Amino acid sequence: MTKLWGVLKLWSSTEGKPHEERTDWVLHKYRLEDEHLHDKGVVQDAYVLCVIFRKDGPGHRNGAQYGAPFREDWTDEEEVIKEVSNSADLPTPTFTGAANPYFPQSQCLGSSAESSHFAAFPSVVLNANKSLTPMEASQVLVDDSISAMLSSGQSEDYSLVAIANYDLEFLKSPNIVVDDDTFREDDAFLIDIIKRLLLILFFLPLFKHSVFFSTGDYICSCFSTMGNIFSIQLSCDTIFSRCWDCAAGQAIYTCKLEENLADLNTALDELKERRNDVMRKVNIAEQGNMKQLDQVQGWLSRTEAMINDVDQVITDGPQEIKKLCMGGCFSKNYMSSLRFSKTVSKKLRDVKDLNLKGAFEEVATTVPAALVVERPSDSAIGLESMLNTVWSSFEEKHVGIIGIYGLGGVGKTRLLTEINNRIGLSSGGFEVVIWVVVSKGFYVEKVQDDIAKRIGLSGGTWNDKTPEEKATEIFGVLTKKKFVLLLDDIWERVDLSKVGIPSPTQENGSKLIFTTRSIEVCGQMRADKKIEVTCLPEEKAWQLFEEHVGKDLFDSHPNIRDLAQEVAKECGGLPLALITIGRSMACKTTSEEWKYAIDVLRRSSATSISPDMGKEVYPLLKFSYDSLPNDMVRSCLLYCSLFSEDFMIKKERLIECWIGEGFLDEHDNISQARNQGHHIIGSLIHACLLEEVEDEFVKMHDVIRDMCLWIACTCEAEKWKFFVQARYQLTKVPDVGKWRGIKRMSLMDNKIENLREAPNCPDLQTLFLSRNKPLEVINNDFFQFMCVLKVLDLSYNQGITEFPMGISKLVSLEYLDLSGTTIRELPTELRALKKLKCLGLQHIDNGIKIPRGLMPGFSKLEILRMFRSYPFDEAMEDDNECLAEELQCLNHLNVLTLSVTSAFALDRFLSAEKLHSFIETIGLEYFKDSKQLNILSLANFKSLNTLTLGECESLEEVKTVWEGESRIIKAAIEIQTSVIASVPCFQSLLRVYMAKCSKLRDITWLILAPNLKDLHVMDCDKMEEIIDEIKLRQGAELVKTLSPFSRLKYLCLVSLPELKSIYLDALPFSCMESIGVRDCPKLRRLPLNSNSAKAKKISINGEEKWWKELQWEDESTQNAFLPSFIPW
């Protein structure tokens, strides 16, 4: 008899909304027939049997068989009513065990879907004819492995059979990944069912009085689907016993919740302490150039995550404890409390386990040092050529030490940075590159510590070692390596042996490159190559300036570009100044702002437009100033800032001002003081604070001058008390009230017209008023309040024709320069200047009269300059003789320069033999009737360094006569003096200037000046040869001992229409720097060959046509000098 037994419902999982694409997951819900349950007193729909499975293998989704013993029908919740006979007629189910002991695969008896598989109960339970006891059921239902497998995505086509309370509210679960698929909303619903099915344990005891459970009976659930029978038999007593034991086992979690929370808190503290210890060890190790182990890093990451998780659990603990009652056996929300209790228990185990794993014997390992630590680098605009120069020297095997020197802010560190980074890209076989910033006032241990960090010696007991021990260890490591040591910003010699650095040699292949501001340090460090970093040329300077201002500004305001180029010029090519001022001008968009900047920069007030100059640039440069040995040398440097910007300062003039100021008073004679002055100039040049120009001159870089004025007028104004407004376009002197308290004032290069009002400046020691061309009137009272004035410069004020009598009252005056004025005569009142040491009367072209008796009044006069002032005039024979005699009475006179205008005047002067050793410059000019000149008449002038021959229109020959084996030269002279001198005669002669000697054909006598540096010959119409070949042969034996022009640096030949030869053979020109030729059409050959001027690159200035027609000794010579040509 067929009877209604139960109902089957199908639940399918879809992606998205219902009726969209279905997934492979299916739920079958089996429920007993309602009336049958009602007759037994069971609440309707109380219990169901659920089967969840996934389609096995590929195939169609819609209408396909899913391995279940029924035909799929997709009608929503369609009930499939099956009528089966009595349960007694049902066959006994048979299960086939699978290889997996936890999820055996079983096939329903007689199933038409041969590939359908179910994940059923363990085979130990689901053997044929074996009952499922409650304990065995609980082992399946609550086994964590099932949940873990489902949650971890490791399950494959599993089904689950379970009994659950159908009336429980279904709560949505988080998505769970199963078999690489993510359940959507419907999938979460299915997983939630799975989780609730696993809780059957807690509801089994409730079945005690239901129709399914009676002592000694079995539960029998039997459903028929498509002729196939599935049945399970369970023992109720056993189930009850086992489930009760299991329930008690679950309750232990909640009972121990409070205790476990306390233990968890303690374990967490211990974990944090272990973490802190490990991190401390890691930090110490990393400071010693070690690297953290990967396992330590992983442990720390997991520990941080664990700490965060457990902190949250502990925070939630008090709230969960409040839910418990009766010692934790019951809870207001039992399932929530159970889950939380299990979480606490698991976290406790995990924390303890993680803590044990953190007991590391070592946390880091030593890391081999990288070849190069790349350093950040700014723009290298303008340094490309210099970088190539340094790199070429670096690659030379015989070069071990390279010194890079230059002005502060010129780019030395930036250049060294580029070298550091380039080494990393080269294949030089170096093992380590070490960068150390030394800086001023360094100490050996600091350098040792920096090197030790780089080569892995620091840490441990390193800091406890003595410098000698450190040096030994460093030496031991570096001796075995091919290294490059880069020392930045050194101010004094670094003793390599004391540091522990092996000396770089060609044998060990190591290199040392250092930067400094002084070429003297390059010498002290025994640099194989000394390379100067100079300021940028105008084009490169503009590129750097444009980069930091921003091209967009010039594109949007094209009228500003020309003004910006003027601003860039004022920076003098110094990269640091270009960058600093460029940044400050980046926001200036009007031409008025740029014009103001130009005006301010020309007045040396860069801080007015860029405060960063006073914060970044000047303090950096001041390091060089502060490093000068004493205040006297600092005073000498600051004194240079009194001159106008870009002014070419003659060395001799500068030293004489220093003497006048009293800076060099420690010496007994002027010669020693001058030597010290040259030493100071040299040291300032070597410190890159002054620039040398053509041997005789120096100049100050614009930014260095600005820095000096910043010090003297702002930073240390109270100490130095400078007032400088040179080249300010002033038409009158500053208000007299500004003069008070000033010690040194410069108003040179202005347009001041008169000096009338007397300023009150009792402290004034130096006053520069030179080069005010309109200046004509100087009131006699102007100087009356300058009682301590020592240096007065009124030179090159051509409007001054009368001597300002007020000067005669300046009794403290030691330096007076009236050169370049048109003063006709000195007053006898000038004898009051008893302290006068230096008197300048040069370039007074109309001549100046010096009255008798004036010169003996200057008892302390040491330097007298009268070149081209012509006090020795043929028209004043008596005065000439008297002046010569008076000059011989000056006991302290040490330097004399003068010009004479006739052979007769020269003869009178030459008779004053005491003066011969003082003459440094002499001009032989306007000789009208002399056809011949015996140059050897000047051979006894031991200090003669400059000779000028000019406007001698009748002069045809400068004679010398060679005589005998004894190498004695005898002069056949036309005037009354004859000289016999040893060869060579003009050892001190450095400069010869010849002009407008129209009949002179050669100047062969120059071979007697072996140290000649500068030769200028111009406007000599008959000049055919510089060195006459015939005359040279006459003294052939003598010539063998001489090397003509071996020291010559500058050769200038202008307007010599008949000139054909300079010298018969090629000359080495080892010192030559510049050759200039203009309007010399017959000069077709220069005394050059491929071996000439090899020591340095020379420049050859000339006309294009002349250069193209020039003849060369050979092609190699031509190729060697082609790059030297500069069109005139």
Side-chain angles (χ1 to χ4, degrees):
M1 170 181 171
T2 301
K3 179 181 178 181
L4 179 63
W5 182 258
V7 178
L8 166 67
K9 286 189 177 181
L10 172 67
W11 296 73
S12 65
S13 174
T14 63
E15 295 184 358
K17 297 180 181 180
H19 304 293
E20 292 187 5
E21 184 178 0
R22 296 180 177 89
T23 69
D24 292 341
W25 287 92
V26 180
L27 168 69
H28 288 170
K29 181 175 70 176
Y30 297 88
R31 177 172 56 81
L32 295 179
E33 193 273 323
D34 295 343
E35 291 182 0
H36 180 74
L37 295 172
H38 180 70
D39 293 341
K40 300 296 183 179
V42 179
V43 180
Q44 187 176 359
D45 290 346
Y47 304 102
V48 296
L49 182 66
C50 296
V51 180
I52 300 173
F53 57 93
R54 185 178 182 184
K55 175 184 173 183
D56 185 15
H60 298 289
R61 292 179 181 273
N62 298 326
Q65 294 298 324
Y66 283 81
F70 60 88
R71 181 175 179 81
E72 175 181 311
D73 191 337
W74 294 111
T75 304
D76 288 344
E77 295 208 16
E78 178 180 356
E79 294 186 353
V80 181
I81 310 298
K82 298 297 179 183
E83 292 184 354
V84 297
S85 59
N86 282 330
S87 58
D89 301 328
L90 293 175
T92 301
T94 303
F95 299 95
T96 302
N100 189 323
Y102 289 99
F103 292 97
Q105 298 176 353
S106 57
Q107 185 176 17
C108 291
L109 190 62
S111 173
S112 62
E114 295 180 359
S115 63
S116 46
H117 297 85
F118 292 82
F121 297 107
S123 56
V124 68
V125 176
L126 294 181
N127 288 330
N129 302 320
K130 180 174 175 62
S131 299
L132 180 67
T133 66
M135 181 57 68
E136 290 168 338
S138 69
Q139 289 175 350
V140 176
L141 298 176
V142 300
D143 195 319
D144 289 339
S145 62
I146 297 176
S147 176
M149 291 292 287
L150 290 173
S151 299
S152 63
Q154 298 176 3
S155 57
E156 299 258 353
D157 294 338
Y158 298 136
S159 297
L160 178 65
V161 179
I163 300 174
N165 188 327
Y166 183 69
D167 284 338
L168 292 175
E169 179 184 1
F170 290 118
L171 301 176
K172 304 298 182 187
S173 304
N175 290 353
I176 298 177
V177 178
V178 179
D179 196 20
D180 295 329
D181 290 327
T182 301
F183 284 107
R184 293 177 179 261
E185 189 171 342
D186 293 338
D187 302 324
F189 172 75
L190 296 176
I191 296 302
D192 190 66
I193 293 176
I194 295 171
K195 289 182 177 181
R196 295 179 183 279
L197 290 175
L198 297 177
L199 300 178
I200 185 61
L201 167 67
F202 299 100
F203 300 99
L204 288 178
L206 300 178
F207 301 158
K208 185 80 173 178
H209 302 291
S210 70
V211 66
F212 297 98
F213 294 87
S214 60
T215 304
D217 294 332
Y218 296 94
I219 297 175
C220 181
S221 300
C222 186
F223 301 94
S224 173
T225 302
M226 298 177 64
N228 296 318
I229 301 300
F230 172 83
S231 66
I232 302 174
Q233 291 183 332
L234 304 176
S235 170
C236 291
D237 287 341
T238 305
I239 289 176
F240 176 77
S241 175
R242 297 294 177 87
C243 288
W244 181 258
D245 293 341
C246 187
Q250 298 296 314
I252 196 71
Y253 288 108
T254 56
C255 292
K256 283 192 163 187
L257 175 59
E258 192 167 359
E259 179 184 347
N260 286 346
L261 275 172
D263 292 343
L264 181 61
N265 196 25
T266 301
L268 182 63
D269 290 341
E270 293 174 351
L271 181 63
K272 289 179 179 179
E273 292 167 358
R274 176 64 61 86
R275 175 204 59 184
N276 294 341
D277 290 340
V278 172
M279 290 180 66
R280 190 177 300 109
K281 291 180 180 179
V282 168
N283 291 336
I284 293 173
E286 288 180 342
Q287 291 175 7
N289 198 34
M290 301 180 74
K291 183 182 179 182
Q292 181 181 198
L293 294 174
D294 290 343
Q295 60 177 339
V296 175
Q297 185 177 356
W299 182 86
L300 288 172
S301 299
R302 292 190 295 274
T303 299
E304 287 300 322
M306 179 65 72
I307 289 173
N308 292 334
D309 291 346
V310 174
D311 278 338
Q312 186 60 48
V313 170
I314 292 174
T315 301
D316 296 340
Q319 189 67 28
E320 291 294 335
I321 291 174
K322 289 180 181 179
K323 296 179 183 180
L324 301 179
C325 56
M326 296 183 67
C329 295
F330 294 93
S331 171
K332 298 175 183 178
N333 188 340
Y334 195 83
M335 293 306 300
S336 173
S337 296
L338 180 61
R339 283 194 300 270
F340 184 77
S341 299
K342 286 187 174 183
T343 299
V344 171
S345 178
K346 185 176 185 304
K347 292 297 183 186
L348 179 58
R349 293 193 304 271
D350 292 344
V351 168
K352 290 181 177 180
D353 181 60
L354 196 57
N355 196 3
L356 290 174
K357 291 180 179 179
F360 299 104
E361 292 184 3
E362 58 180 20
V363 296
T365 183
T366 302
V367 179
L371 169 61
V372 176
V373 177
E374 188 170 355
R375 300 179 63 83
S377 176
D378 295 328
S379 171
I381 289 178
L383 286 180
E384 300 88 351
S385 176
M386 189 59 62
L387 178 61
N388 291 334
T389 299
V390 177
W391 189 256
S392 296
S393 299
F394 177 79
E395 290 184 322
E396 293 179 21
K397 292 183 178 180
H398 68 279
V399 175
I401 303 177
I402 301 174
I404 301 173
Y405 70 97
L407 177 66
V410 80
K412 301 183 298 297
T413 298
R414 191 164 45 135
L415 182 61
L416 195 65
T417 298
E418 293 295 327
I419 293 294
N420 175 81
N421 296 344
R422 182 180 282 195
I423 293 173
L425 304 175
S426 70
S427 56
F430 297 103
E431 297 173 74
V432 64
V433 179
I434 306 167
W435 177 290
V436 179
V437 178
V438 181
S439 297
K440 188 177 180 181
F442 86 101
Y443 55 97
V444 170
E445 283 191 87
K446 191 266 183 186
V447 177
Q448 289 176 326
D449 292 345
D450 289 345
I451 294 174
K453 289 178 184 177
R454 187 71 183 88
I455 60 178
L457 289 179
S458 60
T461 61
W462 175 260
N463 292 331
D464 300 329
K465 298 180 184 296
T466 65
E468 292 75 16
E469 292 172 332
K470 291 180 178 180
T472 301
E473 288 203 29
I474 291 173
F475 185 83
V477 173
L478 293 183
T479 301
K480 302 173 183 177
K481 293 181 179 292
K482 185 179 179 182
F483 65 88
V484 179
L485 178 60
L486 306 176
L487 300 179
D488 188 33
D489 195 26
I490 70 174
W491 292 76
E492 57 187 282
R493 176 175 173 264
V494 177
D495 192 329
L496 300 183
S497 61
K498 287 185 177 180
V499 177
I501 303 168
S503 182
T505 63
Q506 186 171 351
E507 288 72 26
N508 59 34
S510 295
K511 304 282 186 178
L512 166 62
I513 309 178
F514 63 87
T515 65
T516 180
R517 299 190 190 186
S518 172
I519 191 175
E520 291 179 348
V521 175
C522 294
Q524 294 168 3
M525 293 293 294
R526 296 186 299 171
D528 300 313
K529 282 290 182 70
K530 305 177 185 70
I531 301 174
E532 182 181 9
V533 182
T534 58
C535 291
L536 302 180
E538 191 172 308
E539 181 182 354
K540 294 295 184 180
W542 168 247
Q543 291 179 13
L544 184 62
F545 185 77
E546 183 182 41
E547 180 182 85
H548 286 86
V549 174
K551 293 183 180 180
D552 294 342
L553 178 65
F554 303 131
D555 293 338
S556 57
H557 302 83
N559 59 316
I560 290 178
R561 182 177 291 274
D562 291 340
L563 297 172
Q565 289 176 344
E566 289 298 317
V567 173
K569 289 179 184 178
E570 292 300 320
C571 296
L574 185 67
L576 183 60
L578 288 162
I579 293 169
T580 304
I581 293 180
R583 288 171 180 168
S584 68
M585 296 300 294
C587 59
K588 310 298 183 184
T589 58
T590 66
S591 59
E592 291 76 12
E593 289 175 300
W594 285 87
K595 289 176 181 177
Y596 173 72
I598 294 170
D599 183 54
V600 167
L601 287 171
R602 285 176 177 169
R603 296 186 178 191
S604 303
S605 303
T607 53
S608 299
I609 62 167
S610 177
D612 287 342
M613 291 292 287
K615 295 177 182 178
E616 299 178 9
V617 180
Y618 296 155
L620 174 66
L621 299 176
K622 191 173 181 289
F623 274 112
S624 296
Y625 167 84
D626 291 335
S627 70
L628 296 175
N630 51 53
D631 266 356
M632 185 268 288
V633 180
R634 295 186 191 99
S635 298
C636 291
L637 175 66
L638 296 182
Y639 204 90
C640 297
S641 67
L642 293 172
F643 295 90
S644 302
E645 184 175 297
D646 295 324
F647 188 79
M648 302 274 284
I649 310 170
K650 196 160 186 176
K651 292 179 181 179
E652 297 296 347
R653 179 184 179 185
L654 180 60
I655 292 171
E656 289 162 17
C657 287
W658 291 347
I659 291 172
E661 267 275 7
F663 296 158
L664 310 177
D665 277 350
E666 63 183 43
H667 301 288
D668 296 332
N669 60 67
I670 192 69
S671 180
Q672 292 177 348
R674 292 177 75 200
N675 290 339
Q676 184 188 13
H678 281 286
H679 171 75
I680 292 172
I681 289 175
S683 65
L684 294 175
I685 293 172
H686 294 159
C688 299
L689 294 172
L690 288 180
E691 301 173 17
E692 188 173 34
V693 184
E694 296 181 357
D695 293 338
E696 294 183 76
F697 299 89
V698 293
K699 68 183 289 288
M700 256 190 159
H701 188 279
D702 295 352
V703 179
I704 294 298
R705 180 174 180 271
D706 292 346
M707 181 269 294
C708 289
L709 292 176
W710 173 72
I711 293 171
C713 302
T714 305
C715 183
E716 299 177 6
E718 287 301 315
K719 179 178 180 180
W720 301 108
K721 298 181 179 179
F722 274 39
F723 184 93
V724 181
Q725 290 189 350
R727 202 176 290 167
Y728 268 42
Q729 306 297 312
L730 301 178
T731 58
K732 60 181 181 179
V733 296
D735 184 76
V736 293
K738 295 182 179 180
W739 293 58
R740 180 174 292 275
I742 299 300
K743 288 185 177 181
R744 297 176 182 91
M745 175 177 282
S746 176
L747 299 174
M748 67 180 292
D749 275 331
N750 283 299
K751 298 178 180 180
I752 297 172
E753 298 174 356
N754 60 74
L755 302 173
R756 297 184 183 276
E757 189 175 0
N760 187 3
C761 47
D763 299 323
L764 191 64
Q765 297 178 18
T766 291
L767 177 60
F768 282 6
L769 287 167
S770 60
R771 300 177 186 272
N772 281 277
K773 292 183 179 180
L775 182 60
E776 295 181 356
V777 178
I778 300 178
N779 194 303
N780 288 333
D781 295 331
F782 179 78
F783 300 104
Q784 65 177 327
F785 299 120
M786 303 179 187
C787 54
V788 297
L789 190 66
K790 293 182 176 182
V791 176
L792 176 60
D793 187 353
L794 288 170
S795 62
Y796 299 97
N797 292 313
Q798 295 180 356
I800 301 177
T801 58
E802 300 294 331
F803 184 83
M805 296 303 296
I807 296 175
S808 301
K809 298 179 181 180
L810 299 174
V811 294
S812 297
L813 207 60
E814 298 188 20
Y815 175 94
L816 175 61
D817 194 354
L818 300 173
S819 301
T821 63
T822 53
I823 295 173
R824 299 181 184 91
E825 184 176 359
L826 296 179
T828 56
E829 288 83 355
L830 207 57
R831 286 181 293 187
L833 305 182
K834 300 295 184 181
K835 295 183 178 180
L836 194 65
K837 295 179 180 179
C838 305
L839 178 60
L841 299 172
Q842 301 194 109
H843 298 284
I844 301 177
D845 295 337
N846 294 328
I848 188 169
K849 183 177 180 180
I850 301 176
R852 292 186 180 187
L854 176 59
M855 283 299 169
F858 301 141
S859 59
K860 293 188 177 181
L861 192 64
E862 298 174 328
I863 300 172
L864 177 59
R865 298 192 179 277
M866 299 185 294
F867 179 71
R868 285 188 175 168
S869 293
Y870 313 112
F872 300 95
D873 195 344
E874 187 175 9
M876 300 181 289
E877 294 183 12
D878 293 340
D879 289 342
N880 290 341
E881 189 171 351
C882 179
L883 181 57
E885 291 176 358
E886 288 183 353
L887 292 178
Q888 292 187 88
C889 296
L890 298 176
N891 295 326
H892 295 284
L893 189 63
N894 191 268
V895 176
L896 178 63
T897 70
L898 73 159
S899 295
V900 294
T901 57
S902 68
F904 180 81
L906 175 61
D907 186 52
R908 289 297 183 192
F909 175 74
L910 291 173
S911 65
E913 296 183 2
K914 187 177 179 181
L915 301 178
H916 291 184
S917 60
F918 305 149
I919 297 174
E920 291 188 354
T921 300
I922 189 168
L924 307 180
E925 301 172 347
Y926 305 104
F927 282 32
K928 297 178 181 178
D929 300 324
S930 301
K931 294 183 178 181
Q932 295 180 331
L933 171 66
N934 175 26
I935 197 64
L936 295 180
S937 63
L938 308 178
N940 284 334
F941 294 175
K942 302 303 180 182
S943 299
L944 184 65
N945 58 54
T946 303
L947 171 65
T948 298
L949 286 172
E951 303 282 352
C952 298
E953 298 292 343
S954 301
L955 187 63
E956 297 179 1
E957 185 178 9
V958 177
K959 294 187 66 175
T960 58
V961 177
W962 315 94
E963 186 177 282
E965 294 290 330
S966 60
R967 298 183 181 179
I968 299 296
I969 298 177
K970 182 177 180 180
I973 59 175
E974 303 297 329
I975 55 178
Q976 299 176 9
T977 305
S978 62
V979 178
I980 297 179
S982 299
V983 175
C985 303
F986 299 100
Q987 291 279 7
S988 61
L989 189 60
L990 303 178
R991 290 169 287 274
V992 173
Y993 302 100
M994 304 188 68
K996 295 185 178 180
C997 296
S998 302
K999 297 182 179 181
L1000 200 60
R1001 297 179 181 274
D1002 69 88
I1003 44 178
T1004 308
W1005 67 270
L1006 288 178
I1007 63 173
L1008 302 178
N1011 296 313
L1012 189 68
K1013 291 185 176 181
D1014 197 347
L1015 174 61
H1016 286 239
V1017 184
M1018 56 192 69
D1019 297 314
C1020 296
D1021 296 340
K1022 298 292 180 66
M1023 183 77 67
E1024 296 180 357
E1025 299 172 293
I1026 300 299
I1027 305 296
D1028 183 85
E1029 184 176 350
I1030 297 175
K1031 291 181 180 179
L1032 193 63
R1033 288 198 183 103
Q1034 292 175 357
E1037 185 175 350
L1038 172 64
V1039 173
K1040 291 178 182 178
T1041 66
L1042 300 176
S1043 178
F1045 304 136
S1046 61
R1047 302 290 181 86
L1048 196 64
K1049 285 188 174 182
Y1050 311 103
L1051 174 62
C1052 183
L1053 307 172
V1054 178
S1055 297
L1056 307 175
E1058 298 299 323
L1059 183 67
K1060 299 176 182 178
S1061 169
I1062 296 173
Y1063 192 76
L1064 68 161
D1065 295 320
L1067 295 171
F1069 284 141
S1070 56
C1071 297
M1072 183 65 74
E1073 294 182 12
S1074 173
I1075 298 176
V1077 179
R1078 185 171 184 176
D1079 294 330
C1080 301
K1082 294 185 178 181
L1083 182 63
R1084 300 296 180 86
R1085 193 182 192 91
L1086 296 176
L1088 301 172
N1089 61 20
S1090 57
N1091 294 318
S1092 301
K1094 276 195 167 182
K1096 59 197 312 181
K1097 181 181 179 181
I1098 69 172
S1099 63
I1100 303 177
N1101 298 74
E1103 299 145 309
E1104 297 258 10
K1105 183 175 182 297
W1106 169 79
W1107 179 256
K1108 290 179 180 178
E1109 295 175 353
L1110 202 61
Q1111 298 174 4
W1112 300 93
E1113 183 174 295
D1114 50 43
E1115 186 176 353
S1116 62
T1117 303
Q1118 183 178 11
N1119 293 335
F1121 289 98
L1122 277 177
S1124 301
F1125 179 67
I1126 301 174
W1128 201 317

